[in-house]
Amino acid sequence: MNPPAVDGSTTPVRVIFAGMCALVLTVGLARFAYTPMLPIIKAQAGLDYVTAGWLAAINHVGYMAGTLLAALAGDLRRKYVLYRIGLVVAVASTVAMGLTGIQYRNSRGVVSNGYTYTLPINRGDVEVNGVEAEGMWLLADDWLARVAYSYNEGTDNDGEPLASIIPAKAVGGMTCNAPSRRWNVTANITHQQRKDPSD
């Protein structure tokens, strides 16, 4: 591993391009690989939300430490060596996070060591069907009643139900308008049907 020349042969374009590649590798791939694993780490380690937040904050401390280390290393040859070491560590640690033996069950979550985790996963094409109805009645000059109902269901390409779809929802409300029409007050009551795993 030969250190870079410091006599001007390293052009600004090459330096900028190398920095962009390093950001894609460290902040891009490594960060996006770490973020979805934090809920799994939290559940398996029994961490509460405060401790998990500190864990995420320590990750940012690592960014700051690397920035200060690069600023304090005045020798360009030393910076080059640290730069290469940092990239190797970033790749190795990112790969190591994936070697956990997690078994993916389906798009509803992940099962590993008796724990169940809910993770958002893009399903591609889905089919959603439903019906909606709404009615409003003017009870008096200043009073308006509203009733609405909706029913929806959806499945993905494999026939699995979509957990994000609410089966049924009913809303009843009343609105009072001031005689001056400068303000109004609205009160609504909402009921949502319980979501069963088979829905």
Side-chain angles (χ1 to χ4, degrees):
M1 182 174 64
N2 297 322
V6 294
D7 57 359
S9 62
T10 302
T11 63
V13 175
R14 293 179 61 184
V15 173
I16 293 175
F17 181 74
M20 292 174 59
C21 292
L23 286 176
V24 170
L25 175 63
T26 56
V27 181
L29 297 179
R31 180 62 182 171
F32 283 112
Y34 170 80
T35 301
M37 293 186 69
L38 183 58
I40 300 176
I41 298 173
K42 173 182 174 295
Q44 287 189 343
L47 305 178
D48 56 16
Y49 287 102
V50 175
T51 307
W54 276 108
L55 183 61
I58 293 174
N59 185 51
H60 290 283
V61 172
Y63 295 150
M64 180 62 69
T67 302
L68 295 177
L69 182 61
L72 295 177
D75 186 8
L76 290 180
R77 297 176 183 271
R78 185 179 306 168
K79 287 185 178 182
Y80 177 77
V81 173
L82 294 176
Y83 174 78
R84 285 288 187 88
I85 294 176
L87 292 181
V88 172
V89 172
V91 173
S93 59
T94 302
V95 173
M97 285 194 302
L99 303 178
T100 56
I102 296 176
Q103 298 178 352
Y104 288 88
R105 182 182 63 187
N106 54 28
S107 57
R108 286 178 176 271
V110 179
V111 175
S112 174
N113 298 329
Y115 293 97
T116 301
Y117 315 99
T118 300
L119 300 176
I121 299 176
N122 294 328
R123 296 202 181 187
D125 295 333
V126 298
E127 181 178 350
V128 178
N129 300 308
V131 60
E132 295 182 0
E134 182 178 11
M136 291 182 291
W137 293 268
L138 185 62
L139 303 178
D141 291 340
D142 301 327
W143 291 90
L144 179 67
R146 171 179 175 265
V147 176
Y149 176 81
S150 65
Y151 178 84
N152 300 281
E153 60 182 17
T155 57
D156 59 13
N157 290 332
D158 298 328
E160 292 288 337
L162 300 177
S164 59
I165 301 297
I166 299 174
K169 180 178 180 180
V171 179
M174 187 76 68
T175 299
C176 177
N177 295 304
S180 62
R181 295 299 188 270
R182 298 185 62 181
W183 58 268
N184 62 66
V185 177
T186 300
N188 292 320
I189 299 176
T190 302
H191 173 74
Q192 295 183 175
Q193 182 181 355
R194 182 174 62 91
K195 180 71 174 180
D196 292 328
S198 59
D199 291 339

